Amino acid sequence: LRRLRLEKTPPRMLIFSGTLCHKTIVDALRCRPDGFVEKSESLRSLLDGIRLVLEGFRYFTPFASAFMQDSFQSLGRTAELTGREREVLQLTAEGRSCKEIAHRLVIAVKTVENHRQHLMEKLKIHNVAGLTRYAIAEGILA
């Protein structure tokens, strides 16, 4: 999709996907398709999508529209993180303790705890498991 977008006259693109994998969908939507229909939708929905995209319109099923809205909101939240917060988030998601993170980043344990607290406040997440799920969903966990 990325290569097609670089063509002199890029084709109209409608994604028809059976995956509900967050990272795959986000990657696909970053390529700026003209539409997105998931395989669980009706045949009528797919045909509407094809027709509208061919006519020059954009077509996203309700699922895709809601997904895009949620993803863009979460991308905005990720963008607000400092470099150090992203490091702490990644190491936390890898299962490292505050002490291990402090040692690796050469900072105090209390500083790591403060970064985790700020992450939870910024992302509106209430525990380390939630931070881990968020890091995986956003592709922060290597």
Side-chain angles (χ1 to χ4, degrees), residues 2-141:
R2 284 183 185 92
R3 283 190 296 227
L4 286 172
R5 275 285 170 222
L6 297 175
E7 295 289 321
K8 188 172 184 173
T9 44
R12 305 286 298 161
M13 289 185 264
L14 175 73
I15 295 174
F16 182 58
S17 177
T19 184
L20 294 180
C21 170
H22 185 270
K23 183 174 179 359
T24 302
I25 294 172
V26 168
D27 286 347
L29 293 173
R30 282 184 178 146
C31 294
R32 299 181 338 264
D34 301 296
F36 189 101
V37 177
E38 60 279 358
K39 287 184 179 178
S40 62
E41 287 290 328
S42 67
L43 178 59
R44 168 66 23 218
S45 185
L46 175 61
L47 294 173
D48 288 345
I50 292 170
R51 181 180 50 79
L52 288 167
V53 167
L54 285 174
E55 291 175 0
F57 297 98
R58 296 172 59 83
Y59 182 84
F60 294 88
T61 59
F63 166 83
S65 295
F67 191 90
M68 285 190 319
Q69 183 177 359
D70 291 346
S71 294
F72 292 135
Q73 286 173 351
S74 70
L75 286 173
R77 292 187 305 193
T78 301
E80 295 171 6
L81 301 181
T82 66
R84 183 62 88 186
E85 287 171 336
R86 288 179 69 83
E87 288 176 312
V88 170
L89 177 58
Q90 180 176 348
L91 293 168
T92 297
E94 289 175 3
R96 312 264 185 209
S97 69
C98 286
K99 186 176 178 181
E100 290 172 315
I101 295 170
H103 179 73
R104 184 160 179 183
L105 299 179
V106 192
I107 57 177
V109 173
K110 183 67 176 163
T111 303
V112 174
E113 292 169 354
N114 287 337
H115 282 307
R116 278 189 180 178
Q117 186 60 41
H118 291 140
L119 283 165
M120 289 183 202
E121 290 170 6
K122 281 184 177 182
L123 301 173
K124 296 179 178 36
I125 295 173
H126 307 292
N127 53 43
V128 172
L131 287 175
T132 301
R133 283 190 301 274
Y134 177 82
I136 292 168
E138 294 301 317
I140 293 169
L141 185 59

